[in-house]
Amino acid sequence: NAGVTQTPKFQVLKTGQSMTLQCAQDMNHEYMSWYRQDPGMGLRLIHYSVGAGITDQGEVPNGYNVSRSTTEDFPLRLLSAAPSQTSVYFCASSSASGWGRNIQYFGAGTRLSVL
Amino acid sequence: AQSVTQLDSQVPVFEEAPVELRCNYSSSVSVYLFWYVQYPNQGLQLLLKYLSGSTLVKGINGFEAEFNKSQTSFHLRKPSVHISDTAEYFCATMNTGFQKLVFGTGTRLLVSP
């Protein structure tokens, strides 16, 4: 099983550019989320989704958009990149039922630099 | 609101020595507790979890943690570490009934020969 797949692994952007970070999972998980990881700050939740067509904001949503048109995919969009968005981004997914709903599976991450 | 405190940003230890990574949580409701490990340039991998039942939880790679409700702690322990345990370790909590993980700031475990 591929699990949670994130692309690209690395990206360099110039300030003001836009891009989409891709996340796909093949476990039929209802719940998906995006985190950013910054030194000394752990992981912080950006946006999450409890199912196709349903998204909500996390702790640090500003500057990011998401949509969830299918169960498998949960892309994260940066409309106008800023240096403050330089970070490592992780996508995670989990089941919505039973004890499995408490276990989140993480992708390998996307390392983004905004110059 | 939930929060997780990992007081030690870095823990150096010699190979085969025991180690304890500390985690304290703050929540007014029942929580689930987790430890994740991140090896260099990799994603997060679940090490162990406390959902209910026994307060002593065993995980992968010989790690264990004990849930202490009175002290609101969930410290991670290993009796004898290996060089390969060098990684960053994150404690996380989740309110029962929700699926949002709240992470601590992480503890970097450095194992030297």
Side-chain angles (χ1 to χ4, degrees):
Chain A
N1 279 347
V4 179
T5 303
Q6 291 184 237
T7 55
K9 294 190 185 311
F10 303 95
Q11 184 70 50
V12 179
L13 292 178
K14 294 182 180 178
T15 297
Q17 285 186 315
S18 63
M19 80 158 295
T20 300
L21 280 63
Q22 302 291 345
C23 175
Q25 52 91 9
D26 62 0
M27 297 173 282
N28 203 31
H29 284 168
E30 295 86 351
Y31 185 86
M32 296 185 74
S33 53
W34 276 101
Y35 296 86
R36 61 177 289 173
Q37 182 182 23
D38 301 293
M41 304 189 75
L43 279 79
R44 294 178 292 169
L45 182 65
I46 305 172
H47 285 286
Y48 65 98
S49 168
V50 298
I54 307 170
T55 64
D56 205 348
Q57 297 180 350
E59 182 185 357
V60 288
N62 292 341
Y64 307 96
N65 281 348
V66 292
S67 60
R68 183 97 179 269
S69 57
T70 67
T71 300
E72 295 78 19
D73 301 299
F74 191 44
L76 179 72
R77 297 183 185 86
L78 284 70
L79 297 179
S80 180
S84 61
Q85 294 178 304
T86 294
S87 187
V88 181
Y89 292 84
F90 288 100
C91 179
S93 74
S94 65
S95 171
S97 60
W99 287 114
R101 66 187 175 91
N102 304 306
I103 309 303
Q104 294 197 13
Y105 296 87
F106 285 80
T110 294
R111 192 173 299 271
L112 176 67
S113 292
V114 183
L115 307 178
Chain B
Q2 300 167 265
S3 66
V4 176
T5 302
Q6 293 181 251
L7 286 173
D8 304 307
S9 59
Q10 190 165 291
V11 173
V13 64
F14 289 109
E15 193 174 20
E16 297 184 7
V19 70
E20 178 180 84
L21 306 183
R22 297 181 294 168
C23 172
N24 288 89
Y25 69 93
S26 172
S27 176
S28 59
V29 298
S30 297
V31 295
Y32 300 133
L33 293 159
F34 307 83
W35 276 99
Y36 281 85
V37 59
Q38 183 181 31
Y39 298 105
N41 299 315
Q42 294 188 27
L44 277 73
Q45 179 182 0
L46 182 64
L47 202 55
L48 50 78
K49 61 188 183 293
Y50 171 78
L51 303 181
S52 69
S54 173
T55 57
L56 182 62
V57 179
K58 294 190 184 297
I60 61 173
N61 301 339
F63 283 92
E64 65 180 30
E66 186 158 17
F67 170 56
N68 188 318
K69 189 174 182 179
S70 62
Q71 297 187 7
T72 61
S73 67
F74 191 55
H75 300 332
L76 181 70
R77 302 185 182 96
K78 186 170 183 178
S80 176
V81 295
H82 302 289
I83 297 286
S84 59
D85 292 323
T86 294
E88 188 145 22
Y89 292 80
F90 291 95
C91 182
T93 184
M94 177 192 291
N95 278 351
T96 61
F98 293 92
Q99 290 179 283
K100 295 186 211 178
L101 277 173
V102 174
F103 284 88
T105 52
T107 297
R108 188 173 300 274
L109 178 64
L110 298 171
V111 183
S112 54

